Amino acid sequence: MKQLKKLMALLLALAMVLALAACGSGDDSSGSSGSGSADATLDSSAELEVWIWDSDQQDGIQEICDLFTEDTGIAVKVNVVTWDNYWTLLEAGASGGDMADVFWMHILEADKYMSNDILLDLTPYIAADDGIDMANYYEGAVETFTYDGKYYGIPKDHDINVILYNKAIFDEYGFDYPDETWTWDTFYEVAAGITEASGGSVYGSAMNTTNDQDSWWNIVYAMGGSIISEDGTTSGLDSDETKAAMEFVGKLIDDALAPQSLVSENGTSGLFSNNLVAMICQGNYTLAGFTDYDGSENYATAVLPYYDANGNGQCDDGERVTIYNSLAWSASAATAHPNEAAALVLWLSSYDMQVKQAELGVTLAGYVGADSAYADAISAKGIDASAVQVMNDTATLISYPHSYNTTTWQNYYKEKLVAAWLDTSLMSSVLDDCAAYMNDILAAE
């Protein structure tokens, strides 16, 4: 809370300096640029609207915003807009309609919004606040929300993938629970074993083409493949390493996973919550929602398997991999309250409030080291989430593969890979097709 008062004092001092400079130059303009650098005082009568798309996080974020209101007098209302409508409404707002003052920004949309001057430049606010140091946030996430050397979002969180499993199913069919000794080969053997032991009434796991970040991407990167090159110029889908990893995915599909027809109709989460699959790979951000299901007392988490590249039967550095995404807090460049909106973004991004969101079980922090309470908060709700913190502390974290037009090439391979899910002999040729399409998109970027 001292942080915000420091911000107010620093920005007010900056405003006074700029005002004096303007007087000395004979310039009659106010010097206001919409960044808040010229008028830095906060209007306690302002009312801010916040948009998010996850109802599971609404109460916790509203609680944190209420603390902001107590400190500043500025009213804040957190509203949930479903994912299907979120970007439609945000684009409409950017074109002159109603738009929230503060909102979540996603890696898939960030470049478009930053390059078209839709987001408030937070750089001067960050510079004026000695409580915000961008070096304290996950580097890949910071880079994602930086454009032309300016900050248009501050990382709100990051996510970790784990195995979510049903102990009752493992007990029924006599298999040991997943643990830190599991390789991806172990995952296959147990999943195939449960599928066979049940006679197909229960499946070892489930995976869809759309489950990229939480499932098959992790296998690809663990086995040395990639989705996109490090410089973002070429596809990695047709590399030998990626193809080998996806052949392994094909083996899972053939022997261990719920069939595509069931997955398409019910989703992996639906199959799991209805006791039709023993385990699925999930992002930590979904775990709180699973506590609402009947039988959730049987649910637990385990770290993702590793790929035993060295063949020594132990997990060496770099062999356990999880893809992470990060959302950012951003503000509208067109907000009527830029100073107040920026102040709220900095409040939500501060170390104290990032710790608070972890304690409330909202999500893992975007601030490195501020999330140790998160796993305990989820565990207190009924699902042992200790594996989340183990993954966070020990796994190789790889930032979400993306480019300017991620959605275009991602939607393409999600559709085209369905054929390979139905007939795994097509995996290599489908990957070649997807890589060629992706390379055309990347070349145009």
Side-chain angles (χ1 to χ4, degrees), residues 46 263 291 333 384:
V263 176
T291 62
D384 177 8

Side-chain angles (χ1 to χ4, degrees), residues 110-413:
D111 282 345
K112 178 173 65 177
Y113 280 81
M114 292 188 296
S115 63
N116 285 288
D117 300 321
I118 298 171
L119 305 182
L120 180 67
D121 177 10
L122 299 171
T123 311
Y125 299 98
I126 293 169
D129 184 355
D130 60 5
I132 297 290
D133 181 349
M134 298 303 283
N136 290 326
Y137 301 85
Y138 285 89
E139 182 179 2
V142 172
E143 292 174 353
T144 296
F145 303 107
T146 302
Y147 182 79
D148 200 20
K150 297 178 181 179
Y151 301 117
Y152 291 94
I154 303 179
K156 164 193 173 288
D157 56 26
H158 75 290
D159 41 50
I160 293 293
N161 299 306
V162 294
I163 295 175
L164 177 65
Y165 67 96
N166 188 323
K167 293 183 288 185
I169 294 177
F170 276 78
D171 292 342
E172 180 176 355
Y173 295 105
F175 288 88
D176 293 335
Y177 302 151
D179 62 27
E180 294 179 37
T181 69
W182 273 33
T183 66
W184 280 109
D185 286 331
T186 312
F187 183 94
Y188 164 80
E189 291 163 3
V190 173
I194 290 174
T195 301
E196 181 179 4
S198 73
S201 61
V202 174
Y203 298 92
S205 190
M207 191 181 299
N208 202 349
T209 64
T210 57
N211 298 127
D212 45 18
Q213 180 194 344
D214 59 14
S215 60
W216 59 268
W217 273 6
N218 301 282
I219 298 173
V220 166
Y221 278 87
M223 295 186 178
S226 65
I227 304 304
I228 191 172
S229 61
E230 288 188 11
D231 63 4
T233 62
T234 58
S235 175
L237 291 174
D238 57 350
S239 72
D240 291 342
E241 294 82 1
T242 299
K243 284 189 174 182
M246 293 303 286
E247 292 296 336
F248 174 80
V249 171
K251 187 169 73 166
L252 278 170
I253 293 167
D254 286 340
D255 300 335
L257 302 186
Q260 179 68 20
S261 58
L262 281 179
V263 176
S264 297
E265 184 177 350
N266 300 281
T268 57
S269 297
L271 293 173
F272 180 84
S273 61
N274 284 292
N275 303 313
L276 294 176
V277 298
M279 56 182 170
I280 52 176
C281 299
Q282 286 288 286
N284 66 274
Y285 49 88
T286 70
L287 298 179
F290 281 96
T291 62
D292 296 332
Y293 293 115
D294 291 339
S296 63
E297 67 275 6
N298 293 316
Y299 300 168
T301 63
V303 296
L304 288 185
Y306 69 97
Y307 176 59
D308 190 8
N310 295 319
N312 58 10
Q314 64 184 31
C315 185
D316 296 320
D317 290 346
E319 291 184 334
R320 196 186 309 279
V321 171
T322 181
I323 307 298
Y324 79 91
N325 189 11
S326 182
L327 306 182
W329 285 114
S330 294
S332 169
T335 177
H337 307 288
N339 296 331
E340 293 74 23
L344 177 58
V345 169
L346 268 61
W347 176 275
L348 291 162
S349 307
S350 68
Y351 175 80
D352 288 347
M353 293 304 107
Q354 294 255 315
V355 169
K356 184 73 173 177
Q357 75 171 1
E359 292 174 343
L360 293 172
V362 174
T363 188
L364 290 167
Y367 195 113
V368 178
D371 45 32
S372 60
Y374 174 78
D376 290 340
I378 297 299
S379 298
K381 295 180 180 181
I383 293 178
D384 177 8
S386 56
V388 172
Q389 194 61 44
V390 176
M391 282 291 295
N392 196 52
D393 294 342
T394 64
T396 299
L397 273 61
I398 295 178
S399 184
Y400 194 105
H402 67 285
S403 73
Y404 188 91
N405 291 300
T406 308
T407 304
T408 302
W409 51 258
Q410 191 175 46
N411 287 342
Y412 185 85
Y413 74 58

